[in-house]
Amino acid sequence: MRLTFSASRTLPASAERVWELLTEPEQFAVWFGTDQVAVPLDELEMDVRPGGKMRATMQLPGGGEIRWRGVYVEVRAPEFLSMGLSDQSDDDLGVPIEFSLDTVVGGTRLTIVQDRGGFSDEQVERTIAGYGSFLETMDRMLASG
């Protein structure tokens, strides 16, 4: 049995526009960093196709860094994207994460589903809060045009 957790939000835009947020580096860097963290474009790689790699660096306010890496598994524009993502250098494929985009009244419902893996309850809560920050930033980006 697959154990997962999720976060979702209805965003005021078409699925195509939300897909751009997920897959275009200039936009990805903004919401992935939220208001708290810098994600430099010169350290961001996004080859959005099955088997393509993703790399990003989060520069934390205190001077630290988190280096993310992943691989895209399934890419069906503009409705579904799945990937493995990790901040651990010894993790080959990372944690499975899925982004589902569904057209609803008022825009697009974006749902992020992640495998729980070996996450503790505290890690799950922190990750869900992080996804909430991503979704809030996306909402602001779309509202501001």
Side-chain angles (χ1 to χ4, degrees):
M1 180 175 177
R2 182 176 173 208
L3 296 176
T4 63
F5 57 91
S6 65
S8 64
R9 185 178 199 125
T10 298
L11 299 168
S14 67
E16 290 80 9
R17 178 67 184 100
V18 175
W19 184 261
E20 291 171 358
L21 292 177
L22 295 174
T23 60
E24 293 182 2
E26 296 81 8
Q27 297 183 60
F28 178 91
V30 174
W31 66 261
F32 195 66
T34 68
D35 294 334
Q36 309 297 315
V37 177
V39 178
L41 283 174
D42 63 346
E43 295 187 37
L44 179 58
E45 174 188 340
M46 296 176 68
D47 183 8
V48 185
R49 63 181 175 84
K53 300 220 184 291
M54 180 273 204
R55 295 186 193 286
T57 300
M58 289 179 153
Q59 295 178 336
L60 305 175
E65 290 184 338
I66 301 174
R67 295 191 176 271
W68 294 96
R69 60 188 190 80
V71 62
Y72 294 98
V73 176
E74 188 174 346
V75 179
R76 286 184 285 134
E79 68 241 1
F80 185 79
L81 179 68
S82 69
M83 65 187 306
L85 185 65
S86 179
D87 63 352
Q88 304 296 312
S89 60
D90 61 345
D91 192 349
D92 289 339
L93 296 176
V95 175
I97 300 172
E98 300 171 349
F99 299 85
S100 297
L101 294 79
D102 298 296
T103 300
V104 297
V105 173
T108 300
R109 185 81 175 163
L110 175 60
T111 303
I112 306 169
V113 177
Q114 178 176 320
D115 277 25
R116 182 178 175 120
F119 278 31
S120 67
D121 289 346
E122 182 181 333
Q123 288 171 310
V124 168
E125 287 177 28
R126 283 197 320 255
T127 303
I128 290 172
Y131 286 152
S133 294
F134 291 165
L135 294 167
E136 178 65 30
T137 302
M138 287 179 185
D139 202 5
R140 282 197 310 273
M141 290 172 69
L142 293 165
S144 68

